[in-house]
Amino acid sequence: AGINVDGVGNRVAHNEIFDADFQAIYVHGNEHVFEYNDIHHVALNADDVSAWYMGRDPSDRGNVIRYNYFHDIGRPDRGLAAIYLDDGTSETTIFGNVFQKIEPAATFGVVVINSGRDNIIDNNMFIECDAPSVYINSMFDRAKNIVRFWDRYFGEGNILRKRLTEMVDIYQPPYSVRYPKLRSWFDPTKDGKSLVGARPYGNKFRKNLFFDCSQQILSQGFHAKLVTEDNIELIDPGFVDADNGDFRLREDSPVFEEIPGFEPIPFGKIGLYQDEFRETEK
């Protein structure tokens, strides 16, 4: 990837990442902030991939993706996403981003939640996206995948048990205190047919704007749950100059009336900035 992040509390801001066969940002760890990045023309020659990726360790929590511009990602014959919350990624906040022209193959989406829990997708703008804005999949708990995935991820000594009870301990501080919802990850569900962590509950999709998009939500699996609220599509959202790529909202934009509490996205601040360390082109 262009940037690999691990650890706790890093900030990745004001970058332009483009022209890459693979990912722009690959993430592990906790409480990182990704903001004001311009990410485009990445994931050009890969499948089951994304511009921003995190996966396969539900202890990686508290990450924030805000005020970024994801556009022209991937190609239509490959499975990809702008943001991919893979294999149980949970408690991620996606706020105030602009997604434009994300066009993956079928069964993927602009944002993918693959069996994660308590992820928040809030106050974003989806523009000219042929893919579903959100694709949520109950992978761990889908009947056709039980044999394939159950022992691999949840069996004694396997991937998730090792990462949640050996590499870190979700039953002891700091994880049990900072992320109390993790403590029930391996508890049986009320129906006794699964484990709590296998079912992607608590995900929220709210106060998002759609302009010229084909589909809002695609879900697979009975337990692929997504709480929705105040999402709206507008024929004319009131962009400052959409034809020239300026997706700031005018003060009289109908978005502020149609979506209660929608916060203006600081689109003009996204990307590289001029300072004493960067020479102006001559």
Side-chain angles (χ1 to χ4, degrees):
I3 297 175
N4 282 12
V5 178
D6 205 339
V8 178
N10 293 290
R11 178 175 181 253
V12 177
H14 290 291
N15 301 284
E16 182 181 9
I17 308 173
F18 62 99
D19 285 353
D21 285 343
F22 197 51
Q23 296 159 342
I25 300 176
Y26 180 87
V27 185
H28 276 297
N30 305 73
E31 314 290 341
H32 307 306
V33 175
F34 304 85
E35 59 186 0
Y36 300 107
N37 299 291
D38 180 7
I39 301 174
H40 60 96
H41 295 94
V42 298
L44 296 176
N45 192 28
D47 202 9
D48 192 19
V49 71
S50 59
W52 189 102
Y53 180 89
M54 170 178 273
R56 207 164 290 181
D57 190 343
S59 73
D60 292 338
R61 297 193 169 211
N63 295 288
V64 177
I65 309 165
R66 65 188 179 197
Y67 310 141
N68 302 284
Y69 181 28
F70 294 89
H71 59 106
D72 301 288
I73 306 296
R75 45 195 260 193
D77 61 335
R78 301 292 178 92
L80 56 99
I83 296 175
Y84 198 165
L85 308 179
D86 201 9
D87 291 353
T89 296
S90 300
E91 289 193 51
T92 303
T93 298
I94 301 170
F95 182 92
N97 301 280
V98 177
F99 302 97
Q100 183 195 19
K101 293 183 179 179
I102 315 299
E103 303 177 354
T107 73
F108 268 76
V110 178
V111 177
V112 173
I113 300 174
N114 201 9
S115 288
R117 300 170 65 87
D118 301 303
N119 296 293
I120 306 298
I121 306 168
D122 194 358
N123 205 106
N124 303 281
M125 299 196 302
F126 296 84
I127 301 169
E128 301 171 327
C129 294
D130 287 343
S133 298
V134 176
Y135 166 50
I136 181 169
N137 179 12
S138 184
M139 180 189 75
F140 293 141
D141 212 35
R142 285 169 56 195
K144 72 175 185 178
N145 285 332
I146 290 297
V147 173
R148 179 181 176 189
F149 288 111
W150 196 259
D151 285 343
R152 179 181 179 187
Y153 287 95
F154 289 91
E156 294 294 333
N158 286 333
I159 293 175
L160 293 187
R161 287 193 181 273
K162 181 177 181 179
R163 291 182 176 176
L164 298 181
T165 63
E166 296 180 23
M167 296 178 70
V168 303
D169 188 345
I170 62 175
Y171 304 112
Q172 300 293 330
Y175 283 86
S176 62
V177 176
R178 184 66 172 176
Y179 311 114
K181 293 180 180 179
L182 264 176
R183 291 180 294 185
S184 62
W185 192 263
F186 295 107
D187 291 353
T189 55
K190 291 181 179 179
D191 60 14
K193 296 180 180 180
S194 184
L195 300 180
V196 168
R199 292 183 176 172
Y201 289 174
N203 298 292
K204 296 180 180 180
F205 185 54
R206 60 196 185 191
K207 297 185 178 182
N208 297 286
L209 168 68
F210 310 95
F211 172 71
D212 196 17
C213 293
S214 61
Q215 184 178 356
Q216 291 188 17
I217 300 169
L218 173 65
S219 62
Q220 284 192 306
F222 178 78
H223 296 288
K225 304 298 183 182
L226 187 64
V227 177
T228 63
E229 179 183 3
D230 292 331
N231 300 297
I232 192 167
E233 182 171 2
L234 293 175
I235 295 175
D236 182 6
F239 296 127
V240 169
D241 188 359
D243 291 341
N244 291 300
D246 187 346
F247 295 110
R248 291 176 296 164
L249 293 172
R250 300 193 308 266
E251 290 185 3
D252 64 348
S253 166
V255 174
F256 302 120
E257 292 185 4
E258 298 290 342
I259 305 179
F262 188 92
E263 297 183 16
I265 297 171
F267 187 78
K269 296 181 179 180
I270 294 173
L272 303 176
Y273 59 88
Q274 191 67 42
D275 63 13
E276 65 271 28
F277 301 108
R278 179 174 294 118
E279 293 185 2
T280 304
E281 291 185 6
K282 298 179 181 180

